[in-house]
Amino acid sequence: AYNYNSPWNAAEFNDAAENILSDIEERYSWMFRTHHGSGEQNVVEAMSDLERNRFRSEAILNLHKINYTVWSDVFVCRDCGGEIVFWDAAVDKVQAKISDQFPCNHCGTQLTKRTLDRSWVNEIDPRNGEPRRYAKQVPVEINYSYHGKSLSKKPDLYDLQVLKLVESATILSWFPTDRMPEGDEARRNDDDGLTHVHHFYTKRNLIVLSELYKMAEQCGLPLVKQLVVNMMTRANRQSSLHISNYFNGGGGVCKGHLSGTLYVPSISPEIPAIKLFQDRVHTFNRWLKVAVKKRRSIISTSSFTGIEIEDSSVDYIFLDPPFGKNLMYSELNFMDESWLRIKTKPEHEAIENRVHGKGINEYRKLMTACFKEAFRVLKSGRWMTVEFSNTQANVWNAIQSALQEAGFVVANVAALDKKQGSFKAVNTTTAVKQDLVISAYKPALDLEQRFRKEIDPEASVWDFVRSHLSYLPTTKIRKGSLEFVAERDPRIIFDRMISWFIRHEAPVPISTHEFQAGLAQRFAIRDGMVFLQEQVTQYDKKRALVSQAPQMELFVADERSAIDWLTDFIRKRPSTYQEVHPEFTSQLGAGWKKHETRPELSALLEDNFLRYDASGDVPSQIHNYLSTNFHDLRNLAKTDPRLKAKAKDRWFVPDPNKAQDLEKKREKALLKEFDDYGTAPGRRLKEFRLEVLRAGFKSAWAARDFKTIIAIAQKVPEEALQEDEKLLFWYDSALTRMEAGA
């Protein structure tokens, strides 16, 4: 960040970089050269020149630059004890694939990689004087440039002699010899003998890197010194033999390093450090030609939990934070940091790390602290974008909880299509399979002020909803089709409203059905989405241009989503139990939450809907459906016996007044069951109803009974708690209040 945002003198940089490159090539390019042709006389002559003149440029005039050298693991056959070079035995060079099975080249036994033993080398490490046992690797192929062509050859006596001379050389300049730190990633290679930083480099690359570092340190120009060190550390990652991979997962050639891991492949390319440094210099030069000459920026390397910026002074924030245990940053950066002699303190990282005793709760607390600081410095009514990349629902929920606890309101979640560079709507985010872009805003200051002054809590509900709707995208169009704006779904708006009241430590003054009825009275509803009056005109214009209304996909994974699915189904098609059952059963797939009790359809219908028993007039909900979809029932009165017979035993969505009565009855039953959870024997609830927990947590919150929320939450399996956004938010908020001494 510092280098790309600092004013550079291109000529000054080029002079310094070219001098360094010239010096390095003069002294060390012989280590990365090979000859063309395999005639014995050519080899003998080249070796003679090498012995006499290996440090002089004329010795390499008739040699050619190596692009990379392929190294291979060496194994031992358990049957005959013969050494097996993995490259020779298992690799199909034509197809660029590794065979699962292959014969021993000594005894012919069919082998797999799992049935082989390592071949080991024992030595005293000349870099630190310690005994060392490491897995044997040998060079098996050299790719080099010859008159503009890229050719490959098997290493011959000359190439092996070069390596022998390199190994006998003494490294005169400093290089890091740090022990790799504690961690699953950093120490994944201990068993193979790669225990210290310098073990991750070939000797010749280590020589070049150490000299580059020395020359950077001795450079008299501070900015050039900084840039050379930057390029050297970027080159050192790719010059590391052991974190590169010659073959990608699909079997194709991939001569680059594997990001996000310190995995040691059995076949990997060694790219000359001189070439990598030269490429970095050329890349930077191309950037200098198009870079903005005047740049205004501030670079900070402090923790995001304590930004030295004034309150409400920032217009926009973009965050691409760590996500759970995706990447072990300090472990992966350790090699670079060893060269820079400045190391990250892993205990302060916002990640999950088993070795350091940090789980999802510690991660969420750190992310909450970061988001609170972002909330503090952001101006009211302004936006923050958070890129999210993780496939685990518990990490997604931790981010959601942290955002809400900090005070942000999520307005949009979109999937980032990296191939096409576009965004698409996301209807469910509990099972994330792609990168997401979360748009959240800091509520306007006047909304906060009105909330504190408002005497009528219900008026605050609608004040928040109006404000929230103004932030939401009115339409989303992709490939000519309207997409459902998930954040405009009444259920999600209700969840956002609840979070708003929880953050202000105020009881939620309105029930679900009262909220739904209030939305219909105060706002425009289109295709299942809620709009302000001034927004709906724009939506209607866009809707008129497409033939099909946007649809929100409903995934049945627990009792709440099952009720939502039934509500949507029965509203459109009032049905009998026999008609609903096969449709409902088809929704209960493998996605049902592990610890959630699976309710009976009859109980869901009884608790949440009304059934027409043929007494009295046919309800309007059923009448409208039957008269529209059955030709022989059109224009019949609600008292007509034929209509009543067809309507009998059909379940329908009640009107708001009756729905409120049903909800109160259901909530009473849920709270009674919640009390039973508190007195249930045992420390854990193996199976439970999420709806019971949600109702109980809501009731306990209104009574400021945070202890009960925490006590019951601790009975819930950690996995289930972390994977339910609503439960997690209630629990996290209760913990925060208890820790604050509320």
Side-chain angles (χ1 to χ4, degrees):
Y2 172 81
N3 290 324
Y4 278 102
N5 288 281
S6 298
W8 286 100
N9 184 313
E12 188 178 76
F13 163 71
N14 275 314
D15 286 344
E18 289 301 325
N19 287 336
I20 291 172
L21 272 172
S22 177
D23 191 339
I24 291 290
E25 286 193 317
E26 174 74 21
R27 291 189 287 152
Y28 300 113
S29 59
W30 64 272
M31 298 189 297
F32 303 100
R33 299 289 179 121
T34 189
H35 66 90
H36 178 66
S38 57
E40 184 177 339
Q41 185 60 35
N42 291 338
V43 174
V44 171
E45 290 177 0
M47 289 177 65
S48 177
D49 287 343
L50 176 66
E51 289 287 351
R52 289 184 285 104
N53 302 309
R54 63 177 180 271
F55 296 114
R56 294 168 55 188
S57 59
E58 60 263 27
I60 62 171
L61 290 176
N62 297 317
L63 299 174
H64 308 281
K65 288 184 178 181
I66 293 175
N67 298 318
Y68 60 87
T69 301
V70 180
W71 291 74
S72 171
D73 279 348
V74 179
F75 295 95
V76 175
C77 175
R78 293 176 182 174
D79 283 9
C80 69
E83 279 198 337
I84 298 170
V85 178
F86 192 67
W87 171 267
D88 295 334
V91 175
D92 183 336
K93 285 78 174 177
V94 177
Q95 298 294 325
K97 291 184 177 180
I98 297 176
S99 304
D100 292 330
Q101 288 191 333
F102 45 88
C104 172
N105 56 318
H106 301 289
C107 65
T109 302
Q110 283 295 312
L111 304 169
T112 66
K113 189 176 178 181
R114 291 180 179 275
T115 62
L116 293 169
D117 294 325
R118 287 277 196 183
S119 180
W120 297 98
V121 177
N122 293 284
E123 68 169 18
I124 298 297
D125 190 335
R127 284 86 164 183
N128 57 23
E130 298 177 0
R132 184 188 175 205
R133 178 177 183 260
Y134 61 93
K136 183 177 180 179
Q137 282 198 322
V138 295
V140 291
E141 181 178 272
I142 294 174
N143 182 279
Y144 63 100
S145 296
Y146 178 73
H147 298 317
K149 296 181 180 179
S150 180
L151 302 177
S152 294
K153 56 177 274 192
K154 186 175 182 178
D156 54 33
L157 288 174
Y158 172 80
D159 303 305
L160 297 177
Q161 183 66 13
V162 169
L163 292 172
K164 184 177 179 181
L165 288 169
V166 169
E167 286 302 318
S168 67
T170 300
I171 304 179
L172 300 176
S173 301
W174 175 87
F175 59 89
T177 58
D178 302 77
R179 178 70 168 95
M180 295 299 288
E182 291 285 347
D184 290 339
E185 195 63 53
R187 295 205 171 178
R188 66 153 63 229
N189 302 304
D190 274 18
D191 290 343
D192 295 331
L194 304 179
T195 57
H196 292 68
V197 170
H198 61 280
H199 295 161
F200 286 79
Y201 304 92
T202 59
K203 179 73 171 287
R204 54 187 172 185
N205 269 347
L206 195 58
I207 290 172
V208 171
L209 290 171
S210 66
E211 285 300 307
L212 280 172
Y213 188 87
K214 175 184 175 182
M215 296 177 78
E217 288 286 294
Q218 294 175 346
C219 179
L221 302 169
L223 287 178
V224 173
K225 169 190 170 182
Q226 178 73 17
L227 188 59
V228 171
V229 171
N230 169 264
M231 291 185 174
M232 188 278 296
T233 53
R234 293 190 68 169
N236 100 58
R237 174 57 60 95
Q238 287 183 289
S239 64
S240 167
L241 171 67
H242 299 290
I243 56 173
S244 300
N245 191 21
Y246 189 79
F247 291 108
N248 64 21
V253 177
C254 176
K255 305 176 187 70
H257 73 281
L258 293 171
S259 62
T261 179
L262 295 179
Y263 168 71
V264 180
S266 289
I267 296 169
S268 52
E270 172 204 15
I271 304 173
I274 294 177
K275 180 180 184 300
L276 289 166
F277 182 75
Q278 190 174 42
D279 289 346
R280 294 303 313 159
V281 170
H282 292 163
T283 298
F284 193 75
N285 272 327
R286 288 197 300 271
W287 178 80
L288 279 174
K289 292 177 182 178
V290 298
V292 178
K293 301 305 178 184
K294 293 183 179 180
R295 294 182 286 278
R296 295 178 61 198
S297 59
I298 298 173
I299 309 300
S300 172
T301 55
S302 63
S303 171
F304 202 76
T305 57
I307 314 170
E308 295 182 1
I309 299 177
E310 294 181 4
D311 293 357
S312 303
S313 60
V314 175
D315 292 293
Y316 172 73
I317 297 174
F318 179 91
L319 286 181
D320 185 4
F323 288 104
K325 51 189 175 184
N326 273 13
L327 294 172
M328 301 292 106
Y329 291 97
S330 63
E331 296 179 42
L332 295 170
N333 290 339
F334 188 80
M335 293 166 65
D336 289 345
E337 293 178 354
S338 294
W339 284 96
L340 297 172
R341 308 189 200 197
I342 300 174
K343 298 184 177 68
T344 298
K345 293 182 178 179
E347 61 270 21
H348 299 314
E349 281 188 288
I351 61 172
E352 293 180 72
N353 189 308
R354 180 187 60 82
V355 174
H356 298 143
K358 290 191 295 185
I360 190 68
N361 286 322
E362 289 74 17
Y363 168 74
R364 187 175 66 252
K365 288 179 181 178
L366 278 165
M367 288 307 304
T368 301
C370 292
F371 287 145
K372 282 183 176 179
E373 190 68 350
F375 188 86
R376 179 186 68 79
V377 302
L378 191 64
K379 293 177 181 177
S380 296
R382 300 300 177 91
W383 293 85
M384 178 173 72
T385 298
V386 181
E387 184 172 350
F388 177 85
S389 180
N390 192 291
T391 58
Q392 293 183 300
N394 63 343
V395 178
W396 164 255
N397 289 328
I399 290 292
Q400 287 275 83
S401 176
L403 281 169
Q404 293 174 126
E405 177 68 20
F408 285 102
V409 181
V410 175
N412 189 44
V413 180
L416 174 61
D417 188 333
K418 289 188 174 180
K419 293 182 179 179
Q420 298 184 10
S422 62
F423 299 93
K424 58 183 178 180
V426 177
N427 293 332
T428 178
T429 49
T430 55
V432 184
K433 297 180 180 178
Q434 54 210 323
D435 283 5
L436 300 180
V437 176
I438 307 166
S439 298
Y441 64 88
K442 179 177 180 177
L445 185 60
D446 58 347
L447 177 66
E448 294 275 4
Q449 292 171 341
R450 290 197 302 271
F451 184 87
R452 295 187 185 98
K453 294 177 181 178
E454 182 60 64
I455 299 175
D456 180 7
E458 188 171 339
S460 291
V461 169
W462 306 118
D463 191 19
F464 167 78
V465 172
R466 288 188 193 91
S467 176
H468 182 56
L469 288 175
S470 69
Y471 284 94
L472 304 183
T474 304
T475 58
K476 289 183 181 180
I477 300 177
R478 187 168 183 265
K479 294 182 179 180
S481 298
L482 275 178
E483 292 192 335
F484 191 92
V485 181
E487 286 291 333
R488 289 190 178 275
D489 185 299
R491 290 161 292 197
I492 294 181
I493 297 172
F494 182 69
D495 290 341
R496 300 291 178 237
M497 182 272 296
I498 287 178
S499 299
W500 171 257
F501 273 79
I502 291 174
R503 193 178 73 80
H504 289 83
E505 300 187 29
V508 179
I510 191 170
S511 70
T512 302
H513 286 288
E514 288 171 332
F515 183 78
Q516 303 293 337
L519 284 178
Q521 293 169 4
R522 293 170 172 82
F523 306 99
I525 310 292
R526 296 288 191 278
D527 300 322
M529 296 177 285
V530 185
F531 297 89
L532 296 172
Q533 289 299 328
E534 56 267 30
Q535 295 172 328
V536 77
T537 303
Q538 180 186 349
Y539 179 80
D540 288 341
K541 288 179 180 178
K542 295 289 185 182
R543 176 67 181 85
L545 299 176
V546 298
S547 58
Q548 189 173 356
Q551 298 292 323
M552 181 176 185
E553 297 179 52
L554 288 173
F555 298 91
V556 177
D558 56 17
E559 184 175 342
R560 179 70 262 164
S561 56
I563 294 170
D564 290 342
W565 184 90
L566 284 169
T567 301
D568 187 67
F569 182 87
I570 294 174
R571 180 180 285 116
K572 296 175 182 175
R573 178 184 163 188
S575 305
T576 63
Y577 176 89
Q578 290 76 14
E579 291 171 335
V580 175
H581 186 266
E583 299 284 351
F584 179 71
T585 303
S586 68
Q587 299 295 317
L588 303 179
W592 192 265
K593 291 183 179 179
K594 181 179 178 181
H595 300 280
E596 167 81 329
T597 302
R598 188 170 296 197
E600 293 292 334
L601 173 60
S602 56
L604 290 176
L605 293 171
E606 191 70 37
D607 291 344
N608 300 279
F609 305 96
L610 295 177
R611 182 172 60 88
Y612 177 60
D613 60 3
S615 62
D617 294 351
V618 175
S620 298
Q621 297 93 319
I622 301 177
H623 178 265
N624 292 337
Y625 168 71
L626 293 178
S627 61
T628 301
N629 292 276
F630 294 87
H631 182 75
D632 58 330
L633 299 178
R634 290 179 183 174
N635 301 319
L636 295 181
K638 293 181 179 180
T639 56
D640 191 287
R642 290 169 294 173
L643 188 67
K644 294 176 70 173
K646 190 69 174 178
K648 188 175 185 299
D649 290 331
R650 289 183 181 271
W651 293 93
F652 62 97
V653 177
D655 60 44
N657 291 330
K658 291 183 178 178
Q660 289 175 34
D661 293 338
L662 271 179
E663 185 178 8
K664 289 177 181 177
K665 176 184 173 184
R666 179 172 178 270
E667 185 175 6
K668 186 177 180 180
L670 292 174
L671 292 176
K672 183 179 183 302
E673 193 168 342
F674 181 76
D675 291 338
D676 294 339
Y677 286 178
T679 57
R683 298 181 61 186
R684 290 288 181 192
L685 295 169
K686 293 183 178 179
E687 200 170 65
F688 45 81
R689 292 172 63 191
L690 287 172
E691 284 296 280
V692 169
L693 293 175
R694 290 166 184 163
F697 282 10
K698 179 182 176 183
S699 175
W701 178 271
R704 300 184 66 80
D705 185 4
F706 306 132
K707 287 184 179 180
T708 294
I709 295 175
I710 295 170
I712 298 295
Q714 290 173 345
K715 284 192 168 190
V716 177
E718 180 75 9
E719 176 187 358
L721 182 66
Q722 297 293 344
E723 291 188 358
D724 187 86
E725 177 191 337
K726 298 180 180 65
L727 288 186
L728 182 62
F729 186 54
W730 290 111
Y731 172 61
D732 196 40
S733 300
L735 278 177
T736 301
R737 302 307 182 272
M738 287 293 291
E739 290 171 357

